[in-house]
Amino acid sequence: KNFAKLASADSFLIFSCERTADATVGWQLRSTGRFAHTKPYVLKIANRAGYELIDYKEIVPRMEKGEEVQGHLFTFILRENSNDLNVLQDQEL
């Protein structure tokens, strides 16, 4: 949500994160001390902030002890009316 408040309409948000399918709440803290997220969880949080997914790839962002770590690469765009949406959502909390 903070990125959306600072960004202008049609700004891009591009990031990677570790991938998990096992998290019951959409994310998990791994024994490595890193967080992993499910795709639906990231989409839900980004959409709440006014972002729309425009590209997605499953990637290997890094290696851990010689093993591939599974990850996501998300590309979102901030839609024009997202600041109005953020104000409404803040009021609902």
Side-chain angles (χ1 to χ4, degrees):
K1 203 176 334 183
N2 290 331
F3 288 116
K5 288 180 180 179
L6 297 172
S8 59
D10 296 328
S11 296
F12 294 98
L13 175 61
I14 303 168
F15 66 93
S16 65
C17 62
E18 292 186 15
R19 184 173 72 230
T20 184
D22 300 333
T24 58
V25 294
W27 58 270
Q28 66 180 186
L29 178 59
R30 296 194 164 161
S31 61
T32 60
R34 294 176 178 262
F35 286 91
H37 300 82
T38 64
K39 182 180 178 184
Y41 177 78
V42 173
L43 293 176
K44 178 178 79 172
I45 299 302
N47 287 333
R48 277 191 199 163
Y51 286 97
E52 179 183 326
L53 183 69
I54 58 172
D55 192 39
Y56 172 79
K57 292 180 177 61
E58 291 185 355
I59 63 168
V60 176
R62 64 184 190 83
M63 302 291 283
E64 176 81 26
K65 298 180 182 175
E67 299 288 323
E68 293 182 345
V69 174
Q70 301 304 305
H72 310 278
L73 178 61
F74 293 96
T75 303
F76 291 98
I77 190 167
L78 183 61
R79 289 303 172 199
E80 199 168 323
N81 60 355
S82 64
N83 286 330
D84 296 337
L85 180 62
N86 288 334
V87 170
L88 292 173
Q89 289 172 348
D90 286 343
Q91 292 172 353
E92 291 174 3
L93 296 177

Coordinates of all heavy atoms in Angstrom, one line a residue:
K1 N 0.8 -1.2 0.0 CA 0.0 0.0 0.0 C 0.9 1.3 0.0 O 0.5 2.2 -0.6 CB -0.9 0.0 1.2 CG -2.1 0.8 1.1 CD -3.1 0.7 2.2 CE -3.2 -0.5 3.0 NZ -4.2 -0.4 4.0
N2 N 2.0 1.2 0.7 CA 2.9 2.4 0.8 C 3.4 2.8 -0.6 O 3.5 4.0 -0.9 CB 4.0 2.2 1.7 CG 3.5 2.2 3.2 OD1 2.5 2.8 3.5 ND2 4.2 1.4 4.0
F3 N 3.8 1.8 -1.4 CA 4.3 2.1 -2.8 C 3.2 2.8 -3.6 O 3.4 3.8 -4.3 CB 4.7 0.8 -3.5 CG 5.9 0.2 -3.0 CD1 5.9 -1.0 -2.4 CD2 7.1 0.9 -3.2 CE1 7.1 -1.6 -2.0 CE2 8.3 0.3 -2.7 CZ 8.3 -1.0 -2.1
A4 N 2.0 2.3 -3.5 CA 0.9 2.9 -4.2 C 0.6 4.4 -3.8 O 0.3 5.2 -4.6 CB -0.4 2.1 -4.0
K5 N 0.8 4.7 -2.5 CA 0.6 6.1 -2.1 C 1.7 7.0 -2.6 O 1.4 8.2 -2.8 CB 0.6 6.1 -0.5 CG -0.7 5.5 0.0 CD -0.7 5.6 1.5 CE -1.9 4.9 2.1 NZ -2.0 4.9 3.6
L6 N 2.8 6.5 -2.8 CA 3.9 7.3 -3.3 C 4.0 7.4 -4.8 O 4.7 8.3 -5.4 CB 5.3 6.8 -2.8 CG 5.4 6.8 -1.3 CD1 6.7 6.1 -0.8 CD2 5.4 8.3 -0.8
A7 N 3.4 6.4 -5.5 CA 3.6 6.3 -7.0 C 2.5 7.1 -7.7 O 1.4 7.3 -7.1 CB 3.5 4.8 -7.4
S8 N 2.7 7.4 -8.9 CA 1.7 8.0 -9.8 C 1.0 6.9 -10.6 O 1.5 5.8 -10.7 CB 2.3 9.0 -10.7 OG 3.3 8.5 -11.5
A9 N -0.1 7.3 -11.2 CA -0.9 6.3 -12.0 C 0.0 5.8 -13.1 O 0.8 6.5 -13.7 CB -2.1 7.0 -12.6
D10 N -0.2 4.6 -13.5 CA 0.5 3.9 -14.5 C 2.0 3.6 -14.2 O 2.8 3.3 -15.1 CB 0.4 4.5 -15.9 CG -1.1 4.5 -16.3 OD1 -1.8 3.6 -16.0 OD2 -1.5 5.5 -17.0
S11 N 2.3 3.7 -12.9 CA 3.7 3.3 -12.4 C 3.8 1.8 -12.4 O 2.8 1.1 -12.0 CB 4.0 3.9 -11.1 OG 4.0 5.3 -11.1
F12 N 5.0 1.3 -12.6 CA 5.2 -0.1 -12.5 C 5.8 -0.5 -11.1 O 6.5 0.2 -10.6 CB 6.1 -0.6 -13.6 CG 5.6 -0.4 -15.0 CD1 5.9 0.7 -15.8 CD2 4.7 -1.4 -15.5 CE1 5.4 0.8 -17.0 CE2 4.2 -1.3 -16.8 CZ 4.5 -0.2 -17.5
L13 N 5.4 -1.7 -10.7 CA 6.0 -2.3 -9.5 C 6.5 -3.7 -9.9 O 5.6 -4.5 -10.3 CB 5.0 -2.4 -8.4 CG 5.5 -3.1 -7.1 CD1 6.7 -2.4 -6.5 CD2 4.3 -3.2 -6.1
I14 N 7.8 -3.9 -9.9 CA 8.3 -5.2 -10.4 C 9.2 -5.7 -9.3 O 10.1 -5.0 -8.8 CB 9.2 -5.0 -11.7 CG1 8.4 -4.3 -12.8 CG2 9.8 -6.3 -12.1 CD1 9.2 -3.8 -13.9
F15 N 8.9 -7.0 -8.9 CA 9.7 -7.6 -7.8 C 9.6 -9.1 -7.9 O 8.8 -9.7 -8.5 CB 9.2 -7.1 -6.4 CG 7.8 -7.6 -6.1 CD1 7.6 -8.7 -5.4 CD2 6.7 -6.8 -6.5 CE1 6.4 -9.1 -5.0 CE2 5.5 -7.2 -6.1 CZ 5.3 -8.4 -5.4
S16 N 10.6 -9.7 -7.2 CA 10.6 -11.2 -7.1 C 10.5 -11.5 -5.7 O 10.8 -10.7 -4.8 CB 11.9 -11.7 -7.7 OG 13.0 -11.3 -6.9
C17 N 10.0 -12.7 -5.4 CA 10.0 -13.3 -4.1 C 10.0 -14.8 -4.2 O 9.7 -15.4 -5.2 CB 8.8 -12.8 -3.3 SG 7.2 -13.2 -3.9
E18 N 10.3 -15.4 -3.0 CA 10.3 -16.9 -3.0 C 8.9 -17.4 -3.1 O 8.0 -16.8 -2.6 CB 11.1 -17.4 -1.8 CG 12.6 -17.1 -1.9 CD 13.4 -17.7 -0.7 OE1 12.9 -18.6 0.0 OE2 14.5 -17.3 -0.6
R19 N 8.8 -18.6 -3.7 CA 7.4 -19.2 -3.9 C 7.2 -20.3 -3.0 O 8.1 -21.1 -2.7 CB 7.4 -19.6 -5.4 CG 6.0 -20.2 -5.8 CD 6.0 -20.4 -7.3 NE 6.8 -21.6 -7.7 CZ 7.7 -21.6 -8.6 NH1 8.0 -20.6 -9.3 NH2 8.4 -22.7 -8.9
T20 N 6.0 -20.4 -2.5 CA 5.5 -21.6 -1.7 C 4.1 -21.9 -2.1 O 3.3 -21.0 -2.5 CB 5.6 -21.3 -0.2 OG1 5.2 -22.6 0.5 CG2 4.7 -20.2 0.3
A21 N 3.7 -23.1 -2.0 CA 2.3 -23.5 -2.2 C 1.7 -24.0 -0.9 O 0.5 -24.3 -0.8 CB 2.2 -24.6 -3.3
D22 N 2.6 -24.1 0.1 CA 2.2 -24.8 1.4 C 1.6 -23.9 2.4 O 1.1 -24.3 3.4 CB 3.4 -25.5 2.0 CG 3.9 -26.6 1.0 OD1 3.2 -27.1 0.2 OD2 5.2 -26.8 1.1
A23 N 1.7 -22.6 2.3 CA 1.3 -21.7 3.3 C -0.2 -21.6 3.4 O -0.9 -21.3 2.5 CB 1.9 -20.3 3.0
T24 N -0.7 -21.8 4.6 CA -2.1 -21.7 4.9 C -2.6 -20.2 4.9 O -3.8 -20.0 4.6 CB -2.5 -22.4 6.2 OG1 -1.8 -21.8 7.2 CG2 -2.2 -23.9 6.1
V25 N -1.7 -19.3 5.2 CA -2.1 -17.9 5.3 C -1.6 -17.1 4.1 O -1.7 -15.9 4.0 CB -1.6 -17.2 6.6 CG1 -2.4 -17.8 7.8 CG2 -0.1 -17.3 6.8
G26 N -0.9 -17.8 3.1 CA -0.4 -17.1 2.0 C 1.0 -16.8 2.0 O 1.6 -16.5 1.0
W27 N 1.7 -17.0 3.1 CA 3.1 -16.8 3.2 C 3.6 -17.7 4.4 O 2.9 -18.2 5.2 CB 3.4 -15.4 3.5 CG 2.8 -14.8 4.8 CD1 1.5 -14.3 4.9 CD2 3.3 -14.9 6.1 NE1 1.3 -13.9 6.2 CE2 2.3 -14.3 7.0 CE3 4.5 -15.4 6.7 CZ2 2.5 -14.2 8.3 CZ3 4.7 -15.2 8.0 CH2 3.7 -14.7 8.8
Q28 N 5.0 -17.9 4.4 CA 5.6 -18.6 5.4 C 7.0 -18.1 5.6 O 7.7 -17.7 4.7 CB 5.6 -20.1 5.2 CG 6.4 -20.6 4.0 CD 6.4 -22.1 3.8 OE1 7.1 -22.5 3.0 NE2 5.6 -22.8 4.5
L29 N 7.5 -18.2 6.9 CA 8.8 -17.9 7.2 C 9.6 -19.2 7.2 O 9.3 -20.1 7.9 CB 8.9 -17.2 8.6 CG 10.3 -16.9 9.1 CD1 11.0 -15.9 8.1 CD2 10.3 -16.3 10.5
R30 N 10.6 -19.3 6.3 CA 11.4 -20.5 6.2 C 12.5 -20.6 7.2 O 12.9 -19.6 7.8 CB 11.9 -20.6 4.7 CG 10.8 -20.6 3.7 CD 11.3 -21.0 2.4 NE 10.1 -21.5 1.6 CZ 10.2 -21.6 0.3 NH1 11.3 -21.3 -0.4 NH2 9.1 -22.0 -0.4
S31 N 13.1 -21.8 7.3 CA 14.2 -22.0 8.2 C 15.4 -21.1 7.9 O 16.3 -20.9 8.7 CB 14.6 -23.4 8.3 OG 15.0 -23.9 7.0
T32 N 15.5 -20.7 6.6 CA 16.6 -19.8 6.2 C 16.4 -18.4 6.7 O 17.3 -17.5 6.5 CB 16.6 -19.7 4.6 OG1 15.4 -19.2 4.2 CG2 16.9 -21.1 4.0
G33 N 15.2 -18.0 7.3 CA 15.0 -16.7 7.7 C 14.3 -15.8 6.6 O 14.1 -14.7 6.8
R34 N 14.1 -16.4 5.5 CA 13.4 -15.7 4.4 C 12.0 -16.1 4.3 O 11.6 -17.1 4.7 CB 14.1 -16.1 3.0 CG 15.6 -15.7 2.9 CD 16.2 -16.2 1.6 NE 17.5 -15.7 1.5 CZ 17.9 -14.7 0.7 NH1 17.0 -14.0 0.1 NH2 19.2 -14.4 0.6
F35 N 11.2 -15.1 3.8 CA 9.8 -15.3 3.6 C 9.5 -15.9 2.2 O 10.2 -15.5 1.2 CB 9.0 -14.0 3.8 CG 8.9 -13.6 5.2 CD1 9.8 -12.8 5.7 CD2 7.8 -14.0 6.0 CE1 9.8 -12.4 7.1 CE2 7.7 -13.6 7.3 CZ 8.7 -12.8 7.8
A36 N 8.5 -16.7 2.1 CA 8.0 -17.2 0.8 C 6.5 -16.9 0.8 O 5.8 -17.0 1.8 CB 8.3 -18.7 0.7
H37 N 6.0 -16.7 -0.5 CA 4.6 -16.3 -0.6 C 3.9 -17.1 -1.7 O 4.6 -17.5 -2.7 CB 4.5 -14.8 -1.0 CG 5.1 -13.9 0.0 ND1 6.4 -13.6 0.1 CD2 4.5 -13.2 1.0 CE1 6.6 -12.8 1.1 NE2 5.5 -12.5 1.6
T38 N 2.6 -17.3 -1.6 CA 1.9 -17.9 -2.6 C 1.5 -16.8 -3.7 O 1.4 -15.7 -3.3 CB 0.6 -18.6 -2.1 OG1 -0.3 -17.6 -1.6 CG2 0.9 -19.6 -1.1
K39 N 1.3 -17.3 -4.9 CA 0.9 -16.3 -5.9 C -0.5 -15.7 -5.6 O -0.6 -14.4 -5.7 CB 0.8 -17.0 -7.3 CG 0.4 -16.1 -8.4 CD 0.4 -16.8 -9.8 CE 0.0 -15.9 -10.9 NZ -0.2 -16.6 -12.2
P40 N -1.5 -16.4 -5.2 CA -2.8 -15.8 -4.8 C -2.7 -14.7 -3.7 O -3.3 -13.7 -3.8 CB -3.7 -17.0 -4.4 CG -3.1 -18.2 -5.1 CD -1.6 -17.9 -5.1
Y41 N -1.8 -15.0 -2.7 CA -1.7 -14.0 -1.7 C -1.1 -12.7 -2.2 O -1.6 -11.6 -1.9 CB -0.8 -14.6 -0.6 CG -0.5 -13.6 0.6 CD1 -1.4 -13.4 1.5 CD2 0.7 -12.9 0.6 CE1 -1.2 -12.5 2.6 CE2 1.0 -12.1 1.6 CZ 0.0 -11.8 2.6 OH 0.3 -10.9 3.6
V42 N 0.0 -12.8 -3.0 CA 0.6 -11.6 -3.5 C -0.4 -10.8 -4.4 O -0.5 -9.6 -4.3 CB 1.9 -11.9 -4.3 CG1 2.4 -10.7 -5.1 CG2 2.9 -12.5 -3.4
L43 N -1.1 -11.5 -5.2 CA -2.1 -10.9 -6.1 C -3.2 -10.2 -5.3 O -3.6 -9.1 -5.6 CB -2.8 -11.9 -7.0 CG -1.9 -12.5 -8.1 CD1 -2.7 -13.6 -8.9 CD2 -1.3 -11.5 -9.0
K44 N -3.7 -10.8 -4.2 CA -4.7 -10.2 -3.3 C -4.2 -8.9 -2.7 O -4.9 -7.9 -2.7 CB -5.1 -11.2 -2.2 CG -6.1 -10.7 -1.3 CD -6.5 -11.7 -0.2 CE -5.5 -11.8 0.8 NZ -5.8 -12.7 1.9
I45 N -3.0 -8.9 -2.2 CA -2.4 -7.8 -1.5 C -2.2 -6.6 -2.5 O -2.5 -5.5 -2.3 CB -1.1 -8.1 -0.7 CG1 -1.4 -9.2 0.4 CG2 -0.5 -6.9 -0.2 CD1 -2.5 -8.7 1.4
A46 N -1.6 -7.0 -3.7 CA -1.4 -6.0 -4.7 C -2.7 -5.4 -5.2 O -2.7 -4.1 -5.4 CB -0.6 -6.6 -5.8
N47 N -3.7 -6.2 -5.4 CA -4.9 -5.7 -5.9 C -5.6 -4.7 -4.9 O -6.2 -3.7 -5.3 CB -5.9 -6.8 -6.3 CG -5.5 -7.5 -7.6 OD1 -4.9 -6.9 -8.4 ND2 -5.8 -8.8 -7.7
R48 N -5.5 -5.0 -3.7 CA -6.0 -4.2 -2.6 C -5.4 -2.8 -2.7 O -6.0 -1.8 -2.3 CB -5.8 -4.7 -1.2 CG -6.7 -5.7 -0.8 CD -6.5 -6.0 0.7 NE -7.1 -7.3 1.0 CZ -6.8 -7.9 2.1 NH1 -5.9 -7.5 3.0 NH2 -7.4 -9.1 2.4
A49 N -4.1 -2.7 -3.1 CA -3.4 -1.5 -3.1 C -3.6 -0.7 -4.5 O -3.1 0.3 -4.7 CB -1.9 -1.7 -2.9
G50 N -4.4 -1.4 -5.4 CA -4.7 -0.7 -6.7 C -3.8 -1.2 -7.8 O -3.9 -0.6 -8.9
Y51 N -3.0 -2.2 -7.6 CA -2.1 -2.7 -8.7 C -2.8 -3.8 -9.5 O -3.6 -4.6 -8.9 CB -0.8 -3.3 -8.1 CG 0.1 -2.2 -7.6 CD1 0.2 -1.8 -6.3 CD2 1.0 -1.5 -8.5 CE1 1.1 -0.8 -5.9 CE2 1.8 -0.6 -8.1 CZ 1.9 -0.2 -6.8 OH 2.7 0.8 -6.4
E52 N -2.5 -3.8 -10.7 CA -3.0 -4.9 -11.6 C -1.9 -5.6 -12.2 O -0.9 -5.1 -12.7 CB -3.8 -4.2 -12.8 CG -4.4 -5.2 -13.8 CD -5.0 -4.4 -14.9 OE1 -5.6 -3.4 -14.7 OE2 -4.9 -4.9 -16.1
L53 N -2.0 -7.0 -12.2 CA -0.9 -7.8 -12.7 C -0.8 -7.7 -14.2 O -1.9 -7.8 -14.9 CB -1.1 -9.3 -12.3 CG -0.1 -10.3 -12.7 CD1 1.2 -10.0 -12.0 CD2 -0.6 -11.7 -12.5
I54 N 0.3 -7.4 -14.8 CA 0.5 -7.4 -16.2 C 1.5 -8.4 -16.8 O 1.5 -8.7 -18.0 CB 0.8 -6.0 -16.8 CG1 2.1 -5.5 -16.2 CG2 -0.3 -5.0 -16.5 CD1 2.7 -4.2 -16.8
D55 N 2.3 -9.0 -15.9 CA 3.2 -10.1 -16.3 C 3.6 -10.9 -15.1 O 3.7 -10.4 -14.0 CB 4.4 -9.5 -17.0 CG 5.2 -10.6 -17.7 OD1 4.6 -11.6 -18.3 OD2 6.4 -10.6 -17.6
Y56 N 3.8 -12.2 -15.3 CA 4.1 -13.1 -14.2 C 5.0 -14.2 -14.8 O 4.7 -14.7 -15.8 CB 2.9 -13.7 -13.5 CG 3.2 -14.8 -12.6 CD1 3.7 -14.5 -11.3 CD2 3.1 -16.1 -12.9 CE1 4.0 -15.5 -10.4 CE2 3.5 -17.1 -12.0 CZ 3.9 -16.8 -10.8 OH 4.3 -17.8 -9.9
K57 N 6.1 -14.6 -14.0 CA 6.9 -15.7 -14.4 C 7.3 -16.4 -13.2 O 7.5 -15.9 -12.1 CB 8.2 -15.2 -15.1 CG 7.9 -14.6 -16.5 CD 9.2 -14.1 -17.1 CE 9.0 -13.6 -18.5 NZ 8.2 -12.4 -18.6
E58 N 7.4 -17.8 -13.3 CA 8.0 -18.6 -12.3 C 9.5 -18.6 -12.6 O 9.9 -18.9 -13.7 CB 7.4 -20.0 -12.2 CG 5.9 -19.9 -11.8 CD 5.3 -21.3 -11.6 OE1 5.9 -22.3 -11.9 OE2 4.1 -21.3 -11.1
I59 N 10.3 -18.3 -11.6 CA 11.7 -18.1 -11.8 C 12.5 -18.9 -10.7 O 11.9 -19.3 -9.7 CB 12.1 -16.6 -11.8 CG1 11.8 -16.0 -10.5 CG2 11.4 -15.9 -12.9 CD1 12.5 -14.6 -10.3
V60 N 13.8 -18.9 -10.9 CA 14.7 -19.3 -9.9 C 15.6 -18.1 -9.5 O 16.5 -17.8 -10.2 CB 15.6 -20.5 -10.4 CG1 16.7 -20.9 -9.3 CG2 14.8 -21.7 -10.8
P61 N 15.2 -17.4 -8.4 CA 15.9 -16.1 -8.1 C 17.3 -16.3 -7.5 O 18.1 -15.4 -7.5 CB 14.9 -15.4 -7.1 CG 14.2 -16.5 -6.5 CD 14.0 -17.6 -7.6
R62 N 17.5 -17.5 -6.9 CA 18.8 -17.7 -6.3 C 19.0 -19.2 -6.0 O 18.1 -20.0 -6.2 CB 18.9 -16.9 -5.0 CG 18.0 -17.3 -3.9 CD 18.0 -16.4 -2.7 NE 17.2 -17.0 -1.6 CZ 17.6 -17.9 -0.8 NH1 18.9 -18.4 -0.9 NH2 16.8 -18.4 0.1
M63 N 20.2 -19.5 -5.6 CA 20.5 -20.9 -5.2 C 20.7 -20.9 -3.6 O 21.2 -19.9 -3.1 CB 21.8 -21.4 -5.9 CG 21.7 -21.3 -7.4 SD 20.6 -22.5 -8.1 CE 21.6 -24.0 -7.9
E64 N 20.4 -22.0 -3.0 CA 20.6 -22.2 -1.6 C 21.2 -23.5 -1.4 O 20.6 -24.6 -1.7 CB 19.2 -22.1 -0.9 CG 19.3 -22.4 0.6 CD 19.7 -21.2 1.5 OE1 19.5 -20.1 1.0 OE2 20.2 -21.4 2.5
K65 N 22.5 -23.5 -1.0 CA 23.3 -24.8 -0.7 C 23.2 -25.7 -2.0 O 23.0 -26.9 -1.9 CB 22.7 -25.5 0.5 CG 22.9 -24.7 1.8 CD 22.4 -25.5 3.0 CE 22.5 -24.6 4.2 NZ 21.9 -25.3 5.4
G66 N 23.4 -25.1 -3.1 CA 23.4 -25.8 -4.4 C 22.1 -26.2 -5.0 O 22.0 -26.8 -6.0
E67 N 21.0 -25.8 -4.3 CA 19.7 -26.2 -4.7 C 19.0 -24.9 -5.3 O 19.1 -23.8 -4.7 CB 18.8 -26.7 -3.6 CG 19.4 -28.0 -3.0 CD 19.2 -29.2 -3.9 OE1 18.1 -29.3 -4.6 OE2 20.1 -30.0 -4.0
E68 N 18.2 -25.1 -6.3 CA 17.4 -24.0 -6.8 C 16.3 -23.6 -5.9 O 15.6 -24.5 -5.3 CB 16.7 -24.3 -8.2 CG 17.7 -24.6 -9.3 CD 17.1 -24.9 -10.6 OE1 15.9 -25.2 -10.6 OE2 17.8 -24.8 -11.6
V69 N 16.1 -22.3 -5.6 CA 15.0 -21.8 -4.8 C 13.9 -21.3 -5.8 O 14.2 -20.6 -6.7 CB 15.5 -20.6 -3.9 CG1 14.3 -20.0 -3.2 CG2 16.5 -21.1 -2.9
Q70 N 12.7 -21.8 -5.6 CA 11.6 -21.5 -6.5 C 11.1 -20.1 -6.2 O 10.9 -19.8 -5.0 CB 10.5 -22.6 -6.5 CG 11.0 -23.9 -6.8 CD 11.6 -24.0 -8.2 OE1 11.0 -23.6 -9.2 NE2 12.9 -24.5 -8.3
G71 N 10.8 -19.3 -7.2 CA 10.3 -18.0 -7.0 C 9.3 -17.5 -8.0 O 9.0 -18.2 -9.0
H72 N 8.8 -16.3 -7.7 CA 7.9 -15.6 -8.6 C 8.6 -14.3 -9.1 O 9.4 -13.7 -8.4 CB 6.7 -15.0 -7.8 CG 6.0 -16.0 -7.0 ND1 5.0 -16.8 -7.5 CD2 6.0 -16.1 -5.6 CE1 4.5 -17.5 -6.5 NE2 5.0 -17.1 -5.3
L73 N 8.3 -13.8 -10.3 CA 8.6 -12.5 -10.8 C 7.3 -11.8 -11.2 O 6.7 -12.3 -12.1 CB 9.6 -12.6 -11.9 CG 10.0 -11.2 -12.5 CD1 10.7 -10.3 -11.5 CD2 10.9 -11.4 -13.7
F74 N 6.9 -10.8 -10.4 CA 5.7 -10.1 -10.7 C 6.0 -8.8 -11.3 O 6.9 -8.1 -11.0 CB 5.0 -9.8 -9.4 CG 4.5 -11.0 -8.6 CD1 5.2 -11.6 -7.6 CD2 3.2 -11.6 -9.0 CE1 4.7 -12.7 -6.9 CE2 2.7 -12.7 -8.3 CZ 3.5 -13.3 -7.3
T75 N 5.1 -8.4 -12.3 CA 5.1 -7.0 -12.8 C 3.7 -6.5 -12.7 O 2.7 -7.1 -13.3 CB 5.6 -7.0 -14.3 OG1 6.9 -7.6 -14.4 CG2 5.6 -5.6 -14.8
F76 N 3.5 -5.5 -12.0 CA 2.2 -4.8 -11.7 C 2.2 -3.4 -12.3 O 3.3 -2.8 -12.4 CB 1.9 -4.7 -10.2 CG 1.7 -6.0 -9.6 CD1 2.7 -6.7 -8.8 CD2 0.4 -6.6 -9.6 CE1 2.4 -7.9 -8.2 CE2 0.2 -7.8 -9.0 CZ 1.2 -8.5 -8.3
I77 N 1.1 -2.9 -12.6 CA 0.9 -1.5 -12.9 C -0.1 -0.9 -12.0 O -1.1 -1.5 -11.6 CB 0.5 -1.3 -14.4 CG1 0.6 0.2 -14.8 CG2 -0.9 -1.9 -14.7 CD1 0.5 0.4 -16.3
L78 N 0.1 0.3 -11.5 CA -0.8 1.0 -10.6 C -1.9 1.7 -11.5 O -1.6 2.5 -12.4 CB 0.0 2.1 -9.8 CG -0.8 2.8 -8.8 CD1 -1.4 1.9 -7.7 CD2 0.1 3.9 -8.1
R79 N -3.1 1.4 -11.2 CA -4.2 2.0 -12.0 C -4.5 3.4 -11.4 O -4.3 3.7 -10.3 CB -5.4 1.1 -11.9 CG -5.2 -0.2 -12.7 CD -4.9 0.3 -14.2 NE -4.5 -0.9 -15.0 CZ -3.8 -0.8 -16.1 NH1 -3.4 0.4 -16.6 NH2 -3.5 -1.8 -16.8
E80 N -5.1 4.2 -12.3 CA -5.3 5.6 -12.0 C -6.1 5.9 -10.8 O -5.8 6.8 -10.0 CB -6.0 6.3 -13.2 CG -5.9 7.7 -13.3 CD -6.3 8.3 -14.6 OE1 -6.0 7.7 -15.6 OE2 -6.9 9.4 -14.6
N81 N -7.1 5.1 -10.5 CA -8.0 5.4 -9.3 C -7.6 4.7 -8.0 O -8.3 4.6 -7.1 CB -9.5 5.0 -9.6 CG -9.6 3.5 -9.9 OD1 -8.6 2.8 -10.0 ND2 -10.8 3.1 -10.1
S82 N -6.3 4.3 -8.0 CA -5.9 3.5 -6.8 C -5.8 4.3 -5.5 O -6.0 3.8 -4.5 CB -4.5 2.9 -7.1 OG -3.5 3.9 -7.3
N83 N -5.5 5.6 -5.6 CA -5.4 6.4 -4.4 C -6.8 6.5 -3.7 O -6.9 6.5 -2.5 CB -4.8 7.8 -4.7 CG -3.3 7.7 -4.9 OD1 -2.6 6.8 -4.3 ND2 -2.7 8.5 -5.7
D84 N -7.8 6.6 -4.5 CA -9.2 6.7 -4.0 C -9.5 5.3 -3.3 O -10.1 5.3 -2.3 CB -10.2 6.9 -5.1 CG -10.0 8.3 -5.7 OD1 -9.5 9.2 -5.1 OD2 -10.5 8.5 -6.9
L85 N -9.0 4.3 -3.9 CA -9.3 2.9 -3.4 C -8.5 2.8 -2.1 O -9.1 2.2 -1.1 CB -8.8 1.9 -4.4 CG -8.9 0.4 -4.0 CD1 -10.4 0.1 -3.8 CD2 -8.3 -0.5 -5.1
N86 N -7.3 3.3 -2.0 CA -6.5 3.2 -0.7 C -7.2 3.9 0.4 O -7.2 3.4 1.5 CB -5.1 3.7 -0.9 CG -4.2 2.8 -1.8 OD1 -4.5 1.6 -1.9 ND2 -3.3 3.4 -2.4
V87 N -7.7 5.1 0.2 CA -8.4 5.8 1.2 C -9.6 5.0 1.7 O -9.8 4.9 2.9 CB -8.9 7.2 0.7 CG1 -9.8 7.9 1.7 CG2 -7.7 8.1 0.4
L88 N -10.4 4.5 0.8 CA -11.6 3.6 1.2 C -11.1 2.4 2.1 O -11.7 2.1 3.1 CB -12.4 3.2 0.0 CG -13.1 4.3 -0.8 CD1 -13.7 3.7 -2.0 CD2 -14.2 4.9 0.1
Q89 N -10.1 1.8 1.6 CA -9.6 0.6 2.4 C -9.1 0.9 3.7 O -9.3 0.2 4.7 CB -8.6 -0.2 1.5 CG -9.2 -0.9 0.4 CD -8.2 -1.5 -0.6 OE1 -7.0 -1.2 -0.5 NE2 -8.7 -2.3 -1.5
D90 N -8.4 2.1 3.8 CA -7.9 2.5 5.1 C -9.0 2.8 6.1 O -8.9 2.5 7.3 CB -7.0 3.8 5.0 CG -5.7 3.5 4.4 OD1 -5.2 2.3 4.4 OD2 -5.0 4.5 3.9
Q91 N -10.1 3.3 5.6 CA -11.3 3.6 6.4 C -12.0 2.3 6.9 O -12.6 2.2 8.0 CB -12.3 4.4 5.7 CG -11.8 5.8 5.4 CD -12.7 6.6 4.5 OE1 -13.7 6.1 4.0 NE2 -12.4 7.9 4.4
E92 N -11.8 1.2 6.1 CA -12.5 0.0 6.5 C -11.7 -0.8 7.6 O -12.3 -1.6 8.3 CB -12.5 -1.0 5.2 CG -13.5 -0.5 4.2 CD -13.5 -1.3 2.9 OE1 -12.7 -2.3 2.9 OE2 -14.2 -1.0 2.0
L93 N -10.4 -0.4 7.8 CA -9.6 -1.2 8.8 C -9.9 -0.8 10.2 O -10.5 -0.2 10.8 CB -8.1 -0.9 8.5 CG -7.6 -1.4 7.2 CD1 -6.1 -1.0 7.0 CD2 -7.7 -2.9 7.1

